[in-house]
Amino acid sequence: MALAKITQVSGTAVHVPGSDIDTDRIIPARFMKCVTFDGLGEFLFYDVRKHLDGTEKAHPLNDPRFKGASILLSGVNFGCGSSREHAPQALYRYGFRAVIAESFAEIFFGNCTTLGIPCVTATTADIALLAARLEADPSLKVTVDVEKNRVFFGEENFTVHIPDSAREVLIAGHWDPIADLLEAAPTVEATAGRLDYMAR
Amino acid sequence: MGKTLFEKVWDAHTVRRMANGQTQLLIGTHLIHEVTSPQAFGMLRDLGLQVKYPHRTFATVDHIVPTDVQTEPFADNLAAEMIRELRRNAEEFGVTYFDLSSGKQGIVHVVGPEQGITQPGTTIACGDSHTATHGAFGAIAFGIGTTQVRDVLATQTMTMSKPKVRRINVTGRLRPGVYAKDVILHIIALLGAKGGIGYAYEYGGEVFDRFSMEERMTVCNMSIEGGARCGYVNPDAKTYEYLKGRPYSPKGADWDKAVAAWNAFATDDDAVFDDVVEIDAADIAPTVTWGISPDQGFSIEGYIPDPDKAASEAEAASIREALEYMKLAANAPIKGTKVDVAFLGSCTNGRLSDFREVAKYLPGHKVAAGVKAIAVPGSQIVDVLCRQEGIDKVFTEAGFEWRGAGCSMCLAMNPDKLVGDQLCASSSNRNFKGRQGSTTGRTVLMSPLMVAAAAVTGTVCDAREVFEVAELAGV
């Protein structure tokens, strides 16, 4: 299964500020009443974007200046809470291809990597800087360079971090691990054979 | 140098090291439910794959089931479709399924231990972040996403980076009226909602030694609210006593062999941890949350934080956002905050001992006028056990509604939802914005007895005062 090698993601970006933005906020539970992930994009951040009557609230994703953004910028502990993959699926289907935040919750990070969405961390100051530049020029092209651990925009750039294990699978095109996992079937069976409970 | 239980279980389940340095880890027990598995089965079909070890895969339905009328067809077509899909998948792929008609259905993290599926020295994964619950038995258990559910279905393995291990010692004795829920809310408030990222939590110390299995489950359950993907307690005599004779527990000669193996998994006396946190049980009060993140919690005696006194601008912003959403005023006591709904249940606090403890104090009290109070057993078996002891009657006589088993108002994927900006005193695990089914609904997390006290007074209050919790033998 040949997967794209994700070395960098380029596009416009939007800043959704806040800390501890949880996966319930990213995709409210009622939208998980589904048996496929299709169509989740329209419900992304639904309850902070829409009033009960469906009219729009003030939210960065409703700001016409940031329509079409493919890079999301946020704060601390992004994606905490529920393990629901519906959250990264909604981000992807909405059009996001990379996330820059101060830190990420672990399950969310793993889910994103498996979908080929790089999640890179940056300092508070660098995120504030990029947010200010975006506010001044929403059309600013931003590049998340996974290979070089940097984010480039205009004439500026800053260092970002992504664990080596995630960077390697993204740039090698092995972010969906199923082929690699299947390949080890004989070793899996041998490992299982050493554990009594696997036979019970 | 000795090893931790985590390291021993990890090593025993390591299949190989992947090219990127991660581990391909064998997942011995895979638990699935209706919300996060249908897409995974869809992926299996697309790839033409089968379930690798169907006999190690167990399904139940919990998130979407109504708790008032549980006979089908459900009024909600989408919910009905999800349960049909799970049935179809379980049948087609040969997976054990505890359906509504089985008498064994319930919240997946209640069912696993109850059936004896959850065992020490094993690895357990489930497409649900509260999978750490099973760590109470000395298992390495964690939540996974749906693509990983596919990976585990198809290969019985997944890729994972090995976390560090933090030992959290709670020593001394808890004061009367202070429960396992208070212990974990206290730990989360102390270490923060992201304090556990990159760690597995090993809980220990005298308090955990004395805790029942259900109390250990309550603590392990909320590890993820502290950022730790898994949390565990070393297995001991209580663990084995709980497991003995359960449907999936080893039997006969296999039992003795299993106990010996389980004992060997316990953390060695000379094991070295990456970090150690010491907590004095006497410092833990009945704990409640005041904000919109589980780490925004404090003693019931606490006063709402003032953003102007915050240590940093980021913290001030978090407090302001929380107070605006919760409609609470800085510097006011949390005690006395009006409550509209009381919810007792969830994978955190929906077990027999939770209802039993509240039933000790509830007789003679009535739910306050204007408060909707619901008690939702975590499984059909918990329901039956409560009924056998007359616990359901104690609740209904006090004015609680006694419901059928499910996740219910913890995440409100079924009809149990807050309305408008109702404030819920809740024994569940998350106080996120909108978590309980209303986009403006408010949640205050607390122990089951505190929920009962809130129900009868109509306010967030100290259960020790309401119920005159005497100097009982604490845990």
Side-chain angles (χ1 to χ4, degrees):
Chain A
M1 195 166 32
L3 298 169
K5 293 178 171 25
I6 300 170
T7 53
Q8 52 174 245
V9 175
S10 290
T12 56
V14 59
H15 182 214
V16 175
S19 54
D20 301 311
I21 291 182
D22 59 80
T23 53
D24 275 82
R25 189 119 39 114
I26 297 171
I27 183 86
R30 65 185 182 281
F31 300 118
M32 295 200 293
K33 276 195 260 180
C34 55
V35 294
T36 76
F37 290 125
D38 301 340
L40 284 181
E42 66 175 295
F43 303 119
L44 179 69
F45 285 116
Y46 193 86
D47 290 340
V48 283
R49 281 173 54 213
K50 302 278 180 80
H51 291 288
L52 289 177
D53 63 5
T55 56
E56 291 189 346
K57 295 179 181 177
H59 187 273
L61 295 193
N62 291 337
D63 187 333
R65 296 179 301 153
F66 298 108
K67 287 279 186 250
S70 60
I71 297 166
L72 182 70
L73 194 61
S74 195
V76 173
N77 203 20
F78 188 79
C80 61
S82 161
S83 59
R84 61 188 69 168
E85 188 173 305
H86 303 67
Q89 291 277 0
L91 285 165
Y92 189 87
R93 281 153 210 269
Y94 186 89
F96 287 109
R97 293 294 179 270
V99 188
I100 308 169
E102 288 181 54
S103 59
F104 293 94
E106 216 166 308
I107 304 178
F108 176 85
F109 178 88
N111 286 342
C112 283
T113 305
T114 303
L115 298 179
I117 306 171
C119 289
V120 299
T121 57
T123 64
T124 313
D126 284 337
I127 286 174
L129 171 75
L130 178 53
R133 297 288 186 266
L134 292 172
E135 190 55 37
D137 177 11
S139 69
L140 183 68
K141 189 184 165 200
V142 178
T143 297
V144 176
D145 194 318
V146 180
E147 222 167 357
K148 295 190 180 127
N149 281 327
R150 292 196 89 71
V151 167
F152 297 89
F153 50 102
E155 301 298 308
E156 298 171 285
N157 65 83
F158 56 72
T159 301
V160 292
H161 178 75
I162 181 168
D164 291 342
S165 57
R167 190 178 56 248
E168 281 176 29
V169 293
L170 288 165
I171 65 181
H174 280 255
W175 35 272
D176 181 335
I178 188 71
D180 295 321
L181 294 176
L182 283 165
E183 187 188 277
T187 324
V188 172
E189 285 154 23
T191 309
R194 290 192 290 271
L195 295 159
D196 286 347
Y197 79 98
M198 291 301 296
R200 289 202 284 267
Chain B
M1 192 174 75
K3 283 179 163 185
T4 62
L5 176 140
F6 189 92
E7 291 171 290
K8 294 182 198 179
V9 176
W10 182 274
D11 290 349
H13 291 77
T14 293
V15 173
R16 63 168 174 165
R17 192 179 163 86
M18 312 283 289
N20 69 342
Q22 286 190 299
T23 297
Q24 181 170 359
L25 193 69
L26 180 75
I27 302 301
T29 302
H30 190 195
L31 305 173
I32 59 178
H33 62 78
E34 76 281 15
V35 179
T36 58
S37 71
Q39 299 88 347
F41 283 108
M43 294 176 205
L44 282 197
R45 287 193 184 92
D46 290 347
L47 294 168
L49 297 169
Q50 292 297 314
V51 174
K52 177 83 176 166
Y53 290 104
H55 73 287
R56 297 304 314 159
T57 311
F58 304 89
T60 192
V61 58
D62 51 11
H63 287 62
I64 53 98
V65 292
T67 58
D68 45 4
V69 182
Q70 291 195 315
T71 47
E72 295 180 68
F74 297 154
D76 181 343
N77 285 330
L78 291 171
E81 186 188 350
M82 293 177 83
I83 194 169
R84 277 198 303 272
E85 186 76 5
L86 184 59
R87 273 185 199 128
R88 175 171 86 107
N89 289 331
E91 192 175 349
E92 183 179 330
F93 289 94
V95 166
T96 302
Y97 172 43
F98 303 112
D99 204 346
L100 281 169
S101 59
S102 68
K104 300 170 184 170
Q105 170 269 343
I107 307 175
V108 65
H109 309 310
V110 178
V111 171
E114 203 167 65
Q115 292 298 319
I117 293 165
T118 303
Q119 293 176 13
T122 63
T123 49
I124 302 177
C126 176
D128 192 287
S129 60
H130 292 112
T131 306
T133 311
H134 307 270
F137 292 79
I140 297 308
F142 44 82
I144 57 178
T146 295
T147 301
Q148 291 169 323
V149 172
R150 174 208 63 185
D151 293 346
V152 179
L153 288 172
T155 71
Q156 208 67 30
T157 66
M158 56 179 281
T159 62
M160 198 164 165
S161 299
K162 189 177 178 182
K164 293 182 280 191
V165 181
R166 171 180 290 147
R167 166 89 175 189
I168 300 179
N169 276 320
V170 186
T171 50
R173 195 170 273 277
L174 292 174
R175 291 180 281 162
V178 178
Y179 295 97
K181 181 62 161 288
D182 301 305
V183 172
I184 186 60
L185 287 174
H186 181 88
I187 290 171
I188 296 164
L190 189 71
L191 302 177
K194 65 181 179 70
I197 294 178
Y199 283 96
Y201 280 175
E202 177 176 308
Y203 302 103
E206 296 150 26
V207 166
F208 284 91
D209 293 343
R210 284 193 292 267
F211 267 164
S212 69
M213 291 312 296
E214 297 194 349
E215 290 171 311
R216 294 176 188 179
M217 282 188 250
T218 295
V219 174
C220 290
N221 172 273
M222 286 187 70
S223 298
I224 189 68
E225 274 67 46
R229 198 171 179 177
C230 69
Y232 66 92
V233 177
N234 282 299
D236 61 10
K238 278 187 187 160
T239 316
Y240 312 143
E241 187 191 341
Y242 178 100
L243 285 173
K244 192 154 195 185
R246 296 203 177 247
Y248 287 86
S249 294
K251 308 279 186 302
D254 283 346
W255 171 260
D256 295 330
K257 199 176 158 203
V259 169
W262 293 342
N263 274 323
F265 275 109
T267 293
D268 297 325
D269 291 339
D270 58 346
V272 176
F273 298 95
D274 298 292
D275 190 33
V276 178
V277 173
E278 299 285 350
I279 294 171
D280 183 346
D283 292 340
I284 305 175
T287 303
V288 295
T289 57
W290 51 267
I292 53 171
S293 173
D295 60 351
Q296 291 174 321
F298 57 15
S299 156
I300 181 64
E301 304 291 341
Y303 289 79
I304 310 291
D306 185 341
D308 295 337
K309 293 176 192 156
S312 66
E313 190 39 50
E315 192 193 331
S318 287
I319 296 172
R320 275 190 206 101
E321 185 187 4
L323 298 193
E324 187 189 348
Y325 184 84
M326 293 298 291
K327 300 180 179 169
L328 293 173
N331 303 310
I334 188 79
K335 225 191 226 180
T337 303
K338 188 176 170 296
V339 166
D340 305 295
V341 177
F343 169 60
L344 210 174
S346 85
C347 58
T348 314
N349 282 124
R351 298 183 180 80
L352 176 61
S353 60
D354 296 309
F355 297 102
R356 202 184 253 166
E357 182 67 13
V358 173
K360 271 166 44 184
Y361 296 98
L362 210 47
H365 293 273
K366 291 280 181 209
V367 171
V371 174
K372 180 188 176 70
I374 63 172
V376 186
S379 71
Q380 293 178 334
I381 289 175
V382 171
D383 184 24
V384 168
L385 294 173
C386 284
R387 286 174 191 277
Q388 283 171 1
E389 295 185 21
I391 291 172
D392 61 318
K393 290 281 186 302
V394 173
F395 276 83
T396 52
E397 276 164 23
F400 272 82
E401 294 174 35
W402 186 264
R403 298 294 191 84
C407 299
S408 183
M409 206 183 270
C410 176
L411 86 168
M413 276 193 77
N414 76 341
D416 305 332
K417 298 176 196 298
L418 296 182
V419 178
D421 68 352
Q422 282 183 327
L423 187 140
C424 181
S426 184
S427 70
S428 58
N429 43 55
R430 286 186 176 138
N431 53 344
F432 297 152
K433 287 180 177 178
R435 171 76 178 182
Q436 292 190 288
S438 164
T439 59
T440 49
R442 299 170 291 160
T443 304
V444 177
L445 302 175
M446 56 183 77
S447 74
L449 194 66
M450 291 283 280
V451 169
V456 304
T457 63
T459 60
V460 176
C461 61
D462 191 335
R464 297 172 300 186
E465 294 164 8
V466 176
F467 298 119
E468 294 170 2
V469 176
E471 293 292 315
L472 295 169
V475 280

